Amino acid sequence: MTPETPERVANQEAAQQAASPPNDSPGVDMDACKAETPSGAKRRARRAAPRKLLIGSREVLVYGMPQTWGDFYHSALTMRWPAFFASLAGLFLFMNALFACLYQLGAAPIANQYPHGFLGAFFFSVETLATVGYGDMHPQTLYAHIVATLEIFVGMSGIALATGLVFARFSRPRAKIMFAREVVVHPIEGRMTLMARAANARQNVIAEAGAKLRLIRVETSSDGYRLRRIHDLKLVRDQHPLFTLGWNLMHVIDESSPLYGVTPEMLADQHATLHVVIEGSDESTAQTMQARYSWSDRQIRWQYRYVDLMRDVGDVSTMDYTRFHDVVPFDGTKPYAPRAI
């Protein structure tokens, strides 16, 4: 009986794919499948691992995209701080262990080495890579000098690279803009209006802030083709000269609005989501700040309104952000005037 090897299994899978009828694999070139080698099948299997993305509030599994391990700079900027420092520490230990092994390949390369063996070579590598040089241990052979020269070059380059990454992470502009967990729809001045609440949590001045609100939903064309379309929702005011405290983004649902005549059930069937982007110039750092947020169809509350955060007591106005996310049923018989500063 012939043993099952990985190559034999890959050949059998390739033969089964080539023997499948065209209808079983729509959109796949069957001639290419027949000519595919076992190594190609293995590469295709590796690429088939899904990548999980969160677009708005919807989870998407992506297949077939090439791996992005080579995008080191982007990964270093986007990972969390604990993971970033853990990666630097792991790389530091790995490089010192590697050079310790290189030192061990020579014949007594390090003078006054203590402790003897790998541990002493590792500590000597740490001193060399960091350019500390205590003076007790030093290279005493030509081979050791060559390895030390290479290690010093790697150490200086690594310190420069790590310093640049830390500075780039610290210098990235980050906007502290809060968004309400839900958007509300209720009449304002006799017109149905969608409202989203935003606030500047840092309470600095974001000058000339601009906002864009978009609706993304799945639609069916006249010929039966389903596609995801993006609609711009016109805001009553899409510019804020001094975004310091709060901002109520309002879109009137009239005959020109993509939301005109829709119901919550229709939005649920269309997998609708709302996306907002606010961008402006931070007056403190003169850098451009940007923040974005998304709401699913379940987070659109019809005939609800936000709780008013502002209270006027004499000549003093107070803002209570503990109720920033609170909504209550809309009652048209009571006066209501949402305010923003």
Side-chain angles (χ1 to χ4, degrees):
M1 185 175 182
T2 305
E4 293 292 336
T5 63
E7 292 79 5
R8 181 180 178 85
V9 173
N11 289 332
Q12 290 176 353
E13 293 178 353
Q16 292 175 359
Q17 293 176 357
S20 300
N23 292 334
D24 291 344
S25 302
V28 178
D29 189 352
M30 301 308 298
D31 294 334
C33 290
K34 294 178 182 179
E36 187 177 33
T37 61
S39 59
K42 293 178 181 179
R43 287 195 300 270
R44 190 160 61 92
R46 285 196 297 267
R47 288 197 300 267
R51 182 183 179 187
K52 184 183 298 184
L53 298 177
L54 189 63
I55 300 178
S57 58
R58 188 175 183 83
E59 186 178 283
V60 179
L61 296 180
V62 180
Y63 292 86
M65 291 295 289
Q67 296 291 340
T68 58
W69 300 110
D71 199 353
F72 169 78
Y73 181 72
H74 180 266
S75 301
L77 289 182
T78 55
M79 68 174 57
R80 296 183 179 274
W81 279 107
F84 175 75
F85 284 114
S87 300
L88 288 183
L91 182 61
F92 179 78
L93 295 176
F94 171 76
M95 294 302 299
N96 282 289
L98 176 63
F99 279 101
C101 294
L102 292 178
Y103 285 120
Q104 288 292 95
L105 296 178
I110 304 171
N112 303 322
Q113 179 178 345
Y114 184 83
H116 299 288
F118 175 81
L119 195 59
F122 178 83
F123 289 138
F124 176 73
S125 174
V126 171
E127 298 171 11
T128 305
L129 190 68
T131 66
V132 174
Y134 290 117
D136 294 334
M137 294 189 292
H138 59 273
Q140 64 178 355
T141 64
L142 178 61
Y143 172 77
H145 279 291
I146 294 175
V147 176
T149 301
L150 176 62
E151 185 173 11
I152 291 174
F153 174 77
V154 173
M156 294 177 62
S157 302
I159 292 175
L161 178 62
T163 303
L165 289 175
V166 172
F167 176 78
R169 289 177 63 94
F170 269 112
S171 61
R172 288 177 60 199
R174 296 180 182 273
K176 296 293 184 179
I177 298 178
M178 301 188 308
F179 296 93
R181 287 190 289 263
E182 297 172 321
V183 297
V184 296
V185 180
H186 61 80
I188 296 181
E189 297 181 346
R191 299 183 299 177
M192 289 297 293
T193 303
L194 180 142
M195 182 184 298
R197 173 180 277 178
N200 185 1
R202 190 173 285 146
Q203 297 183 355
N204 61 330
V205 176
I206 299 180
E208 297 301 328
K212 295 181 179 180
L213 183 63
R214 297 179 174 91
L215 169 68
I216 302 178
R217 62 185 178 187
V218 177
E219 299 180 0
T220 303
S221 63
S222 57
D223 53 358
Y225 183 71
R226 288 174 57 86
L227 69 163
R228 188 175 297 272
R229 284 182 173 170
I230 301 176
H231 300 274
D232 293 327
L233 301 183
K234 183 179 179 180
L235 297 174
V236 174
R237 175 169 292 277
D238 59 1
Q239 296 288 330
H240 200 309
L242 296 174
F243 182 27
T244 304
L245 294 177
W247 190 0
N248 289 320
L249 305 171
M250 293 185 290
H251 166 73
V252 178
I253 305 177
D254 53 14
E255 291 81 359
S256 63
S257 171
L259 292 173
Y260 183 73
V262 302
T263 62
E265 293 76 16
M266 294 171 60
L267 292 178
D269 294 338
Q270 295 170 343
H271 303 288
T273 57
L274 292 173
H275 296 261
V276 64
V277 176
I278 294 180
E279 184 175 349
S281 177
D282 187 346
E283 197 175 68
S284 303
T285 62
Q287 290 181 314
T288 300
M289 298 290 181
Q290 186 181 89
R292 59 183 175 86
Y293 198 79
S294 300
W295 298 273
S296 67
D297 62 277
R298 297 185 299 273
Q299 295 169 304
I300 302 176
R301 303 296 299 273
W302 297 78
Q303 295 297 330
Y304 275 76
R305 68 172 179 87
Y306 291 121
V307 173
D308 197 357
L309 305 181
M310 181 173 286
R311 295 290 183 272
D312 297 327
V313 181
D315 295 335
V316 179
S317 298
T318 61
M319 298 283 290
D320 183 11
Y321 283 100
T322 60
R323 308 193 66 185
F324 179 76
H325 301 283
D326 294 351
V327 297
V328 294
F330 177 75
D331 187 357
T333 62
K334 297 181 179 180
Y336 166 62
R339 293 175 290 177
I341 292 180

